[in-house]
Amino acid sequence: MDTLAAITAEIADLPDVVRVAEALAGSPARLRVAPLPAAARAPLIAALAQRSRAPLLYITINSDAALRAADDLRQWLGPEAVLLYPASDAMPYEHMSPGNEVISQRLRALQMLNDPKQHSPLIIVAPIKALLLPTLTPEELAGASTTLRLGQGLSQDALLRTLVRRGYRSAPAVEAPGELSRRGGIVDIWPSADERPLRVEFFGDEIDSLRRFDPATQRSDQRVEQALIGPPHEIPLWNRDQALERIAAVDLSGLRRESRAEWDAALAKLDLGERFEGRAFYAPFFRDLTNDERRTTILAHVPKGSAVLLSEEHMLAHHAGEIAEQAEAQRLKLIEQGELPPEFPRPYLTWQG
């Protein structure tokens, strides 16, 4: 019996599939493949990924559809070839932060798209809502990433200062992504995009050992030659001073007294660099609203030669419009209730940009 891998290879060699793959790999083109039964989408996308030299981005209508598509594609290509780029459960203007898993998966997808050593096939699966949430620019991601290498000369103090400035938080023991801990000549870090934390052992100002460890037992078990330490969050937390200035400039005269107290309390926590539920609500202030930086999506990270595959484009556009309508209705309601300043910047993108 043929394996799914063998069947994928056969599908990839079909003349029609070859023509579609060649068209996608050539000059920018807009193709419509129809009719295409739902059951045929996963094997076709897997076959296109096999023929592509660059990653593919596959957009679905919602999170459930993205999860199903990712699971189906892993059956055809294997677990390492498919990543999920999820959306937060929160709606725009809600005081709710994304969970660690959502942050980790989104950052992992961005890092893989920006890795020049990444080999195909690779498919990033995302619900349309995930594209409506701004993310780091490629320049911000690169500027907030550091590669550690075995034998590298590096000051512990300099490393810790850099990571704390980027938003990593100190903890007695590293148990969650975005945390770091120092014990003598050992620095533990959990890069948010990584599945497991990293233990960096110093000999003076030189990296003597790099090992992955189990956060439950705190025992190291895997030596590595180098490791990439990316940012702890999609919010550019290192822009905190600018964010505080922008927040302070907002006219709060229309807020209820209780809402003003909540705003002031959150501002104090942001000033101290604390992590708290609802911190993502203030994400727009960490970006320069005078240019298009805040409009960066995962599309800015898709390398040249990649294809963006839309599952039922008209339905995606309709659903994106519904999300925008619900968000605008919520904004107007909160302003009327005295819970949101009228000039609060829009925290999401629309289908048009």
Side-chain angles (χ1 to χ4, degrees), residues 87-274:
S88 170
D89 290 334
M91 289 298 294
Y93 305 108
E94 278 191 315
H95 288 262
M96 178 178 171
S97 296
N100 285 334
E101 185 176 3
V102 170
I103 296 171
S104 295
Q105 289 178 317
R106 286 174 66 91
L107 287 173
R108 190 174 304 134
L110 297 183
Q111 283 193 357
M112 292 293 281
L113 288 173
N114 285 273
D115 184 359
K117 298 179 181 179
Q118 169 59 40
H119 300 291
S120 295
L122 174 65
I123 302 175
I124 309 293
V125 183
I128 183 60
K129 184 183 175 184
L131 267 71
L132 304 181
L133 306 176
T135 189
L136 299 169
T137 66
E139 294 76 19
E140 286 176 325
L141 180 63
S145 299
T146 299
T147 299
L148 302 183
R149 296 180 175 85
L150 196 62
Q152 175 183 350
L154 180 65
S155 163
Q156 283 188 61
D157 291 337
L159 175 62
L160 291 171
R161 283 195 301 269
T162 296
L163 296 179
V164 169
R165 186 170 61 250
R166 291 175 182 170
Y168 280 86
R169 58 194 181 277
S170 182
V174 168
E175 298 176 340
E179 291 183 346
L180 58 80
S181 176
R182 178 182 185 177
R183 302 184 313 280
I186 297 176
V187 175
D188 289 346
I189 314 162
W190 195 334
S192 291
D194 292 2
E195 295 182 354
R196 304 179 68 209
L198 179 72
R199 178 158 293 156
V200 187
E201 193 167 346
F202 286 83
F203 183 76
D205 284 342
E206 181 178 306
I207 297 178
D208 188 55
S209 173
L210 292 170
R211 293 174 290 172
R212 297 291 179 184
F213 68 92
D214 185 335
T217 65
Q218 296 290 306
R219 293 181 179 178
S220 56
D221 54 15
Q222 179 189 4
R223 293 182 180 273
V224 295
E225 295 293 320
Q226 65 179 41
L228 179 66
I229 312 298
H233 206 288
E234 279 187 287
I235 302 173
L237 298 172
W238 50 91
N239 293 336
R240 183 177 61 184
D241 292 343
Q242 298 94 317
L244 292 171
E245 291 178 3
R246 294 166 188 149
I247 294 173
V250 175
D251 181 6
L252 304 179
S253 60
L255 294 187
R256 293 187 299 109
R257 182 168 55 185
E258 296 84 356
S259 297
R260 176 62 184 267
E262 293 175 0
W263 184 280
D264 290 340
L267 186 60
K269 292 177 181 178
L270 289 172
D271 190 24
L272 295 173
E274 293 183 9

Side-chain angles (χ1 to χ4, degrees), residues 61-62 91-92 128-129 132 314-330 348-352:
I61 192 168
N62 56 36
M91 289 298 294
I128 183 60
K129 184 183 175 184
L132 304 181
H314 65 287
M315 294 180 63
L316 296 179
H318 179 73
H319 188 55
E322 288 182 331
I323 293 174
E325 289 177 5
Q326 293 170 9
E328 179 61 13
Q330 178 71 356
Y348 62 94
L349 297 122
T350 63
W351 179 258
Q352 291 77 21

Side-chain angles (χ1 to χ4, degrees), residues 12-26 31 48 51:
D13 288 334
L14 293 175
D16 286 343
V17 175
V18 172
R19 282 194 291 271
V20 171
E22 290 176 346
L24 292 174
L31 303 178
L48 291 174
R51 299 199 68 88

